[in-house]
Amino acid sequence: MLVYSCAASSPLYSSSCQLQGQFHLNGMHKAGDVILGGLFQVHFFSLFPDLSFTSEPQQPICHGFDVLGFRQAQTMAFAIDEINRNSNLLPTVTLGYRLYDNCVQLGIGFRAALSLVSGKEEQIILQESCAGTPPVLGIVGDSSSTRAIAISTVLGLYRVPMVSYFATCSCLSDRGKFPSFFRTIPSDAFQVRAVIQILKSFGWTWAGLLISDDDYGLHAARSFQSDLAQSGGGCLAYLEVLPWSNDPDELRRIVDVMRKSTARVVIVFAHESHMIDLMEEVVRQNVTGLQWIASEAWTSAAVLQTPRLLLYLGGTLGIAIRRGEIPGLRDFLLQIHPDLHQNNSYGNNLVKQFWEYTFECRFAPPPAGWVEAGGALCTGQEDLENVETEYMDISNLRSEYNVYKAVYALAYALHDMLQCEPGRGPFSGHSCGSLQRLEPWQLVYYLEKVNFTTSFGDQVSFDENGDVLPIYDIMNWLWLPDGRAEVQSVGEVKRSPFKGEELTLDEDKIYWNFESKKPPRSVCSESCPPGTRMARKKGEPVCCFDCIPCSEGKISNETDSMECTSCPDDFWSSPQRDHCVPKESEFLSYHEPLGVCLAATSLLGTFICAVVLGIFTYNHSTPIVRANNSELSFQLILSLKLCFLCSLLFIGRPQLWTCQLRHAAFGISFVLCVSCILVKTMVVLAVFKASKPGDGAKLKWFGAVQQRGTVLVLTSIQAAICTVWIVSSSPAPHKNTQYHNDKIVYECVVGSTVGFAVLLGYIGLLAILSFLLAFLARNLPDNFNEAKLITFSMLIFCAVWVAFVPAYISSPGKYADAVEVFAILASGFGLLVSLFGPKCYIILLRPERNTKKAIMGRTIKS
């Protein structure tokens, strides 16, 4: 770290800053016209020295060599070397680099970043107008979200561009806080959505989430909870934070939660160091049967791919950084070689440490800051091609590919800036940027607009938040028969400008670490089938619910319906409640036994009336037919015939015309019938009254014309009542659903209850009047006193219709029509049998009594 003290001598002289102390760092460098900085994790651990400024240089003691971090640094060196050899990209500029090891420590990484942007001059003269090239044009790094946040917060103040290849925290997309931060790895926000898409793809709605206790894990958890709630794709059974240190009690508690949970899917946003500690406890408790989903931080962690852990981690699905190919990288990696004569040269220390780690030898003396040297002495002539090491395995370049793209992004941005034509530039006064007067924010401008395609075919550009066009590979941990693990690609998830986010999975390739060799079920509650709705369990997440059958008249035709939908008015729910079916129609039909019986009875009554009419017509000249006005008898038979026929209007689906006609026909037919009976009764009384001395003149009021006129007037009154009723409030067909929810009862509503009551009341009035007159004439002297028959018939008629009213009111639907038909038929048969039965009996069976003498009361000798 560089610290300057500044002083101004006088107005005539320039001010200057003097270097007070230096913090020496492990690193590599190469000179050039423009320098790019880099921050890499070459060691796992470090010991901090005294940070006070002394005369002696200070250097952190780092140990635990990370060969992959070293390869990432070498990839940056290769990319710069490749750019310098490319005559089409920055042809007049030579790039150099200055790469530092952060030792996985925030303090060291922060000091390294400040060293890069401050430069290494011993003294800086502060001119009145600053000019020249910055110490570094931009920084590639850091790999950690926490360190990237801290470093980019400071660099953003001066708009120094920083392009990270591994920092994924979604918080870094905040352009207000990090205006000069870019990255070639997708944000955790996209990674979270990718995981949610995987969950949806396999129907996993119930999962546990484990996170690291840092910005990476905490922001991932926040995004995951938010996006999961918005997508409606599932719920978290538990959320646990993994401790940084090996805390056995806390790990035991977390694994116990996992073991007791019904969630079969476990998502882990943490680092491989967390997973190492966690898996030790998982093995100890023997928690099997879990489907693990790995974040990109540990998807490719070889330390976890051991036969001992594959029993538990086999079949893991993971999000991995996009794999790429970098032609020529292998040959470049083979070129490194330790310099035995420059023990402390800049960059040689890291090469020697790599050499000792790879060949398990040691240099004498050991490299500065290196505490792990041991074994045989290194000769420097060892051959990298003869040793199996991750360093030379370039078949799975992921983070290195991101480093490669980051370097090229900075190079293309600088190239675009140098292509600017004076007077047509994007800056103030249409000016252009230049190396001689370069401001960092000018490069940020071009970096935001950079757009190029790598040799592997991937397009690289940044959105308004500095995020690269996202793409991830979906990886699967395959457990081979020999106990080894193979991490295979089974799909990808990406976002394109036109199609949005897309998940592609080759499910046939996926290895499932279960006996069934199929994806597990991980749900809090099984899906509700059609015909049911979901009802949340109180106090539990939305994914935990009961399936409640839809009530009658409602359906759900989809799985996991939140509500049941009411069927339309003319439909009802099926027994399974999964679709609507037309409601059963109910009306007095000709196709049911009751309708058939009533119709047959009606036709029987009509037939009997026709037979009686035939008998009376054939015997129309006989005394019993001619007695008491035979014309009224014929009218009575015809009216009874109409009564029987009108009952057929009550059978069948109600129509407007049948509803209007049925009651009118019924009312007029019965009034005609009862009017005939009333007139006949009046004639009987008049005849016998006229037989008394002095009463003969009264018969002139009961002649044939008067009888016809009386029947006509009485019937016309009923016709008028029916006309007023139909015109003012006509009966009409009606679909009634109140009697039965699952049936449509077709009925005729009377329209006006008053009209119907007046119609029935008028019939009742005539019937009672006929009954009273007939009752008065029942004891008149005559061998064949028709008044007795009329009395009996009216008694039956009144009894039937008195019983009809309560029965009609209490009968629902078609049974009300059946009651009315039954009343019509019963009263019709009562009148027919009572009035014409005895006469037909005499005509057919006792013709000897069908004489005027017999009728006038003379006894016939046998």
Side-chain angles (χ1 to χ4, degrees):
M1 182 174 181
L2 312 178
V3 177
Y4 296 91
S5 63
C6 302
S9 56
S10 71
L12 300 176
Y13 298 94
S14 300
S15 301
S16 65
C17 292
Q18 187 71 32
L19 184 64
Q20 298 296 304
Q22 235 179 21
F23 188 79
H24 285 273
L25 300 157
N26 290 318
M28 302 182 294
H29 80 99
K30 179 181 180 180
D33 300 331
V34 175
I35 303 298
L36 299 182
L39 300 174
F40 297 94
Q41 174 184 310
V42 184
H43 293 89
F44 286 117
F45 308 104
S46 67
L47 299 175
F48 279 96
D50 182 8
L51 297 182
S52 63
F53 297 106
T54 63
S55 58
E56 293 296 326
Q58 304 173 71
Q59 182 172 357
I61 301 176
C62 300
H63 60 98
F65 195 83
D66 185 355
V67 67
L68 296 181
F70 182 68
R71 188 171 70 180
Q72 291 166 5
Q74 290 294 319
T75 301
M76 179 171 177
F78 166 77
I80 290 176
D81 181 69
E82 187 178 64
I83 292 170
N84 288 335
R85 291 185 281 108
N86 188 343
S87 59
N88 296 320
L89 183 60
L90 295 174
T92 62
V93 177
T94 301
L95 294 181
Y97 57 79
R98 191 177 298 276
L99 314 180
Y100 285 141
D101 176 16
N102 58 37
C103 297
V104 201
Q105 290 293 337
L106 174 59
I108 297 176
F110 192 78
R111 286 165 175 79
L114 293 183
S115 296
L116 289 172
V117 298
S118 300
K120 302 193 60 80
E121 290 84 355
E122 294 289 336
Q123 184 177 14
I124 299 177
I125 305 300
L126 302 179
Q127 304 291 343
E128 291 184 1
S129 67
C130 297
T133 304
V136 292
L137 191 66
I139 296 178
V140 175
D142 194 302
S143 60
S144 161
S145 293
T146 299
R147 293 192 294 274
I149 291 170
I151 296 169
S152 189
T153 300
V154 176
L155 298 187
L157 298 175
Y158 306 100
R159 300 299 190 270
V160 176
M162 180 177 182
V163 185
S164 176
Y165 55 90
F166 213 69
T168 59
C169 180
S170 57
C171 59
L172 287 165
S173 296
D174 187 342
R175 223 55 185 151
K177 294 181 179 179
F178 311 103
S180 62
F181 179 82
F182 300 84
R183 52 183 160 193
T184 54
I185 186 173
S187 152
D188 278 339
F190 180 74
Q191 182 178 191
V192 163
R193 292 195 296 272
V195 171
I196 292 175
Q197 287 193 58
I198 294 174
L199 295 179
K200 282 187 173 183
S201 177
F202 294 106
W204 297 330
T205 59
W206 190 235
L209 179 62
L210 306 179
I211 61 170
S212 57
D213 190 11
D214 57 8
D215 293 303
Y216 172 72
L218 297 175
H219 281 88
R222 189 176 300 119
S223 296
F224 193 89
Q225 289 176 302
S226 173
D227 291 352
L228 192 64
Q230 291 179 9
S231 69
C235 307
L236 289 180
Y238 53 86
L239 171 60
E240 298 292 341
V241 180
L242 299 174
W244 271 105
S245 59
N246 187 6
D247 186 343
D249 293 336
E250 179 65 8
L251 290 172
R252 187 179 304 112
R253 184 194 67 80
I254 292 174
V255 174
D256 192 53
V257 170
M258 296 166 55
R259 181 174 54 83
K260 293 179 179 178
S261 174
T262 57
R264 296 295 87 199
V265 175
V266 182
I267 306 161
V268 185
F269 279 89
H271 308 283
E272 59 183 74
S273 57
H274 293 95
M275 285 300 299
I276 293 172
D277 296 335
L278 175 68
M279 292 311 299
E280 289 298 325
E281 184 61 28
V282 169
V283 172
R284 194 188 69 79
Q285 294 194 29
N286 193 29
V287 181
T288 58
L290 297 179
Q291 175 62 48
W292 296 82
I293 297 182
S295 68
E296 46 46 65
W298 65 278
T299 292
S300 303
V303 69
L304 298 172
Q305 298 167 18
T306 63
R308 176 170 172 262
L309 296 182
L310 283 176
L311 175 63
Y312 307 90
L313 291 176
T316 294
L317 289 173
I319 304 294
I321 303 168
R322 173 71 165 176
R323 187 190 71 84
E325 294 181 3
I326 307 176
L329 177 61
R330 189 176 189 278
D331 294 336
F332 182 85
L333 296 177
L334 287 172
Q335 293 176 8
I336 68 165
H337 201 274
D339 191 336
L340 301 179
H341 303 291
Q342 298 183 18
N343 291 332
N344 295 318
S345 65
Y346 189 74
N348 194 45
N349 276 339
L350 287 181
V351 175
K352 285 187 174 182
Q353 291 171 20
F354 163 72
W355 210 261
E356 289 184 341
Y357 173 83
T358 302
F359 295 103
E360 298 181 352
C361 59
R362 62 184 177 85
F363 289 96
W370 181 243
V371 298
E372 296 183 6
L377 290 177
C378 299
T379 64
Q381 303 302 317
E382 291 84 1
D383 190 352
L384 283 173
E385 290 198 271
N386 293 333
V387 65
E388 185 176 344
T389 172
E390 286 183 279
Y391 177 74
M392 295 305 301
D393 182 10
I394 62 170
S395 62
N396 196 31
L397 299 177
R398 298 186 184 276
S399 57
E400 294 83 0
Y401 188 48
N402 283 348
V403 171
Y404 183 78
K405 291 188 290 186
V407 175
Y408 265 87
L410 287 168
Y412 271 103
L414 180 60
H415 179 82
D416 293 342
M417 186 186 73
L418 297 180
Q419 296 298 311
C420 176
E421 298 180 11
R424 302 180 64 180
F427 306 126
S428 177
H430 300 288
S431 61
C432 297
S434 66
L435 288 179
Q436 290 72 30
R437 301 182 62 87
L438 179 62
E439 296 288 344
W441 61 266
Q442 294 175 327
L443 189 64
V444 170
Y445 172 83
Y446 283 98
L447 199 55
E448 290 173 343
K449 300 183 179 304
V450 76
N451 192 336
F452 65 95
T453 302
T454 68
S455 58
F456 191 58
D458 289 332
Q459 182 182 359
V460 179
S461 62
F462 300 104
D463 63 14
E464 65 276 6
N465 298 319
D467 293 325
V468 74
L469 201 63
I471 182 169
Y472 275 119
D473 289 336
I474 309 299
M475 310 304 292
N476 178 231
W477 289 22
L478 177 62
W479 190 3
L480 300 176
D482 59 2
R484 294 184 299 108
E486 177 184 335
V487 181
Q488 61 175 351
S489 176
V490 294
E492 67 177 15
V493 58
K494 63 182 178 180
R495 184 174 67 209
S496 60
F498 306 106
K499 296 183 179 180
E501 295 180 5
E502 295 179 287
L503 172 66
T504 304
L505 279 176
D506 186 355
E507 297 187 23
D508 294 334
K509 289 178 61 178
I510 299 177
Y511 167 74
W512 302 105
N513 193 25
F514 304 95
E515 290 184 5
S516 64
K517 302 302 179 183
K518 295 181 180 179
R521 290 281 295 166
S522 186
V523 295
C524 182
S525 300
E526 291 295 334
S527 295
C528 290
T532 62
R533 64 174 178 86
M534 296 192 300
R536 283 188 56 185
K537 294 182 179 179
K538 188 176 181 180
E540 297 189 27
V542 295
C543 297
C544 301
F545 49 82
D546 292 318
C547 297
I548 307 299
C550 293
S551 57
E552 290 186 347
K554 294 185 176 183
I555 64 158
S556 64
N557 54 10
E558 296 179 353
T559 302
D560 291 336
S561 293
M562 296 298 297
E563 297 292 340
C564 294
T565 306
S566 297
C567 289
D569 292 340
D570 292 348
F571 291 82
W572 192 247
S573 55
S574 65
Q576 296 77 24
R577 306 288 198 273
D578 58 355
H579 66 282
C580 293
V581 296
K583 286 183 178 180
E584 180 183 346
S585 299
E586 182 179 279
F587 54 88
L588 192 56
S589 170
Y590 288 106
H591 303 290
E592 60 178 310
L594 179 59
V596 170
C597 290
L598 293 176
T601 305
S602 174
L603 294 176
L604 176 62
T606 304
F607 174 75
I608 294 174
C609 287
V611 171
V612 172
L613 181 62
I615 294 173
F616 269 55
T617 301
Y618 183 77
N619 298 280
H620 67 280
S621 59
T622 60
I624 200 166
V625 174
R626 296 180 61 188
N628 197 8
N629 195 339
S630 60
E631 183 179 342
L632 286 178
S633 296
F634 282 106
Q635 288 181 359
L636 183 57
I637 294 172
L638 290 174
S639 64
L640 284 174
K641 190 173 183 179
L642 292 176
C643 290
F644 284 118
L645 289 175
C646 78
S647 64
L648 296 177
L649 295 173
F650 291 84
I651 304 174
R653 183 189 291 269
Q655 305 291 333
L656 178 61
W657 69 272
T658 58
C659 289
Q660 292 175 336
L661 189 59
R662 62 167 59 172
H663 289 108
F666 153 70
I668 294 173
S669 299
F670 267 93
V671 165
L672 177 61
C673 177
V674 177
S675 297
C676 292
I677 295 173
L678 177 61
V679 171
K680 286 175 71 69
T681 307
M682 294 171 63
V683 170
V684 170
L685 281 174
V687 169
F688 283 95
K689 291 290 183 180
S691 63
K692 296 180 180 181
D695 291 335
K698 295 181 180 179
L699 283 175
K700 65 179 181 179
W701 298 106
F702 294 94
V705 176
Q706 286 78 9
Q707 294 178 29
R708 293 192 206 100
T710 303
V711 171
L712 180 61
V713 170
L714 294 176
T715 305
S716 297
I717 294 174
Q718 183 73 308
I721 292 173
C722 293
T723 301
V724 173
W725 178 22
I726 292 175
V727 172
S728 62
S729 183
S730 172
H734 173 64
K735 293 188 291 187
N736 194 325
T737 58
Q738 296 180 352
Y739 299 135
H740 306 284
N741 290 329
D742 58 342
K743 292 181 180 179
I744 298 177
V745 178
Y746 288 90
E747 59 184 8
C748 287
V749 291
V750 295
S752 172
T753 305
V754 175
F756 187 49
V758 171
L759 181 144
L760 290 179
Y762 184 63
I763 297 174
L765 176 63
L766 296 180
I768 292 172
L769 185 59
S770 299
F771 173 73
L772 291 175
L773 292 177
F775 182 77
L776 293 175
R778 70 188 188 285
N779 293 322
L780 294 176
D782 194 350
N783 198 36
F784 184 80
N785 187 357
E786 196 173 14
K788 294 180 181 179
L789 302 179
I790 293 174
T791 302
F792 186 69
S793 66
M794 286 295 100
L795 185 62
I796 295 174
F797 185 87
C798 292
V800 169
W801 286 102
V802 168
F804 160 76
V805 175
Y808 181 82
I809 294 174
S810 61
S811 299
K814 66 178 183 179
Y815 297 104
D817 292 336
V819 167
E820 191 165 357
V821 172
F822 179 80
I824 293 172
L825 296 178
S827 57
F829 275 108
L831 294 175
L832 180 63
V833 173
S834 299
L835 295 176
F836 296 100
K839 293 183 178 182
C840 290
Y841 171 76
I842 292 174
I843 293 172
L844 298 176
L845 300 179
R846 300 295 297 274
E848 70 276 9
R849 295 181 59 182
N850 189 7
T851 63
K852 185 175 180 180
K853 292 181 179 181
I855 294 173
M856 295 302 293
R858 294 180 175 86
T859 303
I860 300 177
K861 304 292 184 180
S862 56

